[in-house]
Amino acid sequence: MKASFKKYILDFKRPSGTSRGILTQKETWYLILADKGRFGIGECGLLRGLSIDDLPDYESQLNWTCDNIHLGKEALWSSLTRYPSIQFGIEQAFRSFESEDPFTLFPSDFTHAGKSIDINGLIWMGDKAFMLDQIAQKLEEGFKCLKMKIGALNFDTEIFILESIRNKYSPEQIELRVDANGAFESSTALHKINILSNYGLHSIEQPIKPGHVIDMKLLCKSSALPIALDEELIGIFDIADKEELLRTIRPHFIILKPSLVGGYKGTKEWIDLAETYQIGWWITSALESNIGLNAIAQWTFNLDVDIPQGLGTGGLFTNNFKSPLTVENGKLFYRPTKKWKTDLIQELCT
């Protein structure tokens, strides 16, 4: 078996805002396995400025992986603990190579019987008019759960936007989640969260920056709104440390991005611990192309999830890979009649 990797730059259809800045491009890497006419592909979804493996030696680690592909999936995964996106790329590539169809990693009623996954509609940061336009579009598209990025605008403006939604739609009609990406100061976070709780929100994601464990613990204990951890989970590799974090903070939910927490295996460790402590969870993509999104979605379906997941980001890019993944009425489907654009993928693999 031969292994290689290739860098690819995804271009956003329009600049997309978070509290960490404006995104116009997304760098990603593909790990490709080939032998006797078969191939497998996995996406190493690196997020610059957020991924714990955003390090100067990232490319050399991919080189090492390819040079040592003979070690096999388990040994490679264990050797790359501090490179969770490469761990995930390895899991995908081997699964893809071993599958009858390199794009059907987990055959199920999702891939073959038209079953779907409920997903949230993502509302990116921007000025008030842009955010309201996005909300109107998502509602028109049939979404029943919206996730709104907050923390970049004036707080009063963000409250106005939430109020405008609630004036039209009750919590029973539209579920609202907000994601602060750590934008609130610890000293004012509880006050802001308690104001937000007046608008019938499902939860707030990562209200303060990660690493302030005691402050987050106090917020989770005192908040009138359920709190979900996201960035807080990044960079915690040892299962005992994972358990200590959840036992200490006691969040209401955790949000799991396989590219950031060690792929399927790392994500499953978090899920098992969360269920031990009666903590809710859902899976979210991390701006992967449709190759990585497909790998996440097929696996997620097999977890028998019953709340909306964060998997609807495949349409953000102008140069994504055409795939069977389709968003309809707030649900993600895999439509086998819509074929993968294999010429571009084959170009990657040569």
Side-chain angles (χ1 to χ4, degrees):
M1 181 191 295
K2 293 183 179 179
S4 60
F5 66 90
K6 192 163 289 189
K7 182 179 180 179
Y8 190 73
I9 302 297
L10 293 158
D11 297 314
F12 280 82
K13 290 178 179 176
R14 64 168 295 159
S16 298
T18 75
S19 61
R20 289 185 294 272
I22 304 296
L23 302 174
T24 59
Q25 290 185 320
K26 162 66 167 59
E27 168 190 333
T28 198
W29 301 77
Y30 297 102
L31 178 64
I32 300 132
L33 308 183
D35 186 46
K36 298 177 182 177
R38 296 175 63 87
F39 83 94
I41 186 167
E43 182 168 356
C44 304
L46 183 67
L47 271 177
R48 294 291 183 187
L50 179 61
S51 299
I52 195 69
D53 46 8
D54 178 12
L55 298 168
D57 68 342
Y58 189 84
E59 190 168 347
S60 69
Q61 292 296 324
L62 286 168
N63 262 316
W64 180 88
T65 300
C66 292
D67 290 343
N68 291 277
I69 204 69
H70 61 277
L71 296 176
K73 179 177 66 176
E74 296 300 329
L76 290 169
W77 192 96
S78 297
S79 298
L80 290 157
T81 303
R82 296 190 175 274
Y83 297 85
S85 64
I86 301 178
Q87 287 180 313
F88 189 32
I90 288 167
E91 289 177 326
Q92 294 171 61
F94 273 91
R95 186 89 187 189
S96 172
F97 182 83
E98 293 161 0
S99 299
E100 183 177 337
D101 170 8
F103 302 109
T104 306
L105 280 66
F106 298 91
S108 68
D109 286 347
F110 177 68
T111 56
H112 292 95
K115 297 292 185 180
S116 63
I117 303 170
D118 288 338
I119 60 174
N120 61 239
L122 184 59
I123 309 301
W124 290 91
M125 287 179 178
D127 61 35
K128 181 169 67 177
F130 172 57
M131 294 186 75
L132 289 171
D133 283 348
Q134 289 182 85
I135 291 165
Q137 180 182 345
K138 294 298 182 186
L139 294 175
E140 186 176 326
E141 291 171 355
F143 283 91
K144 301 298 183 185
C145 176
L146 301 181
K147 173 181 168 179
M148 189 173 114
K149 298 275 189 179
I150 63 171
L153 302 181
N154 177 278
F155 186 66
D156 289 339
T157 300
E158 292 171 339
I159 291 298
F160 171 83
I161 293 170
L162 290 170
E163 189 171 27
S164 69
I165 300 172
R166 279 293 172 246
N167 285 340
K168 293 182 179 179
Y169 302 97
S170 70
E172 290 70 34
Q173 293 172 301
I174 297 293
E175 181 178 285
L176 285 175
R177 303 169 177 175
V178 294
D179 180 6
N181 285 130
F184 294 169
E185 296 294 330
S186 294
S187 58
T188 58
L190 184 60
H191 175 66
K192 289 183 175 181
I193 291 170
N194 287 340
I195 292 173
L196 289 167
S197 70
N198 295 320
Y199 298 95
L201 305 184
H202 171 271
S203 57
I204 180 169
E205 186 175 332
Q206 201 66 45
I208 63 175
K209 288 181 172 59
H212 301 277
V213 173
I214 300 305
D215 288 342
M216 187 67 87
K217 173 185 176 180
L218 293 174
L219 279 179
C220 290
K221 186 176 180 180
S222 306
S223 171
L225 189 61
I227 292 176
L229 303 186
D230 179 3
E231 289 90 340
E232 201 77 50
L233 313 182
I234 297 171
I236 301 177
F237 309 114
D238 187 83
I239 194 165
D241 293 335
K242 293 178 180 182
E243 183 170 14
E244 177 65 19
L245 181 81
L246 296 185
R247 188 170 57 236
T248 301
I249 295 180
R250 299 283 179 155
H252 304 87
F253 299 97
I254 58 173
I255 299 170
L256 298 157
K257 296 181 172 72
S259 291
L260 301 184
V261 299
Y264 301 132
K265 185 175 179 180
T267 301
K268 190 60 167 61
E269 287 179 353
W270 280 112
I271 289 172
D272 290 344
L273 288 169
E275 292 183 344
T276 297
Y277 288 95
Q278 298 182 307
I279 295 167
W281 55 270
W282 66 87
I283 308 294
T284 302
S285 54
L287 302 180
E288 293 88 358
S289 73
N290 279 333
I291 292 173
L293 177 60
N294 177 60
I296 297 170
Q298 290 187 23
W299 184 73
T300 300
F301 180 84
N302 286 339
L303 298 175
D304 294 324
V305 293
D306 58 3
I307 63 172
Q309 307 292 297
L311 302 178
T313 58
L316 291 173
F317 308 112
T318 61
N319 58 340
N320 207 341
F321 303 92
K322 183 180 177 182
S323 81
L325 294 170
T326 306
V327 177
E328 303 169 20
N329 294 317
K331 300 175 184 293
L332 183 66
F333 290 86
Y334 188 93
R335 301 297 195 193
T337 54
K338 295 186 175 183
K339 304 298 184 182
W340 284 90
K341 188 174 175 58
T342 54
D343 56 342
L344 184 55
I345 295 170
Q346 287 169 353
E347 185 179 323
L348 275 176
C349 296
T350 57

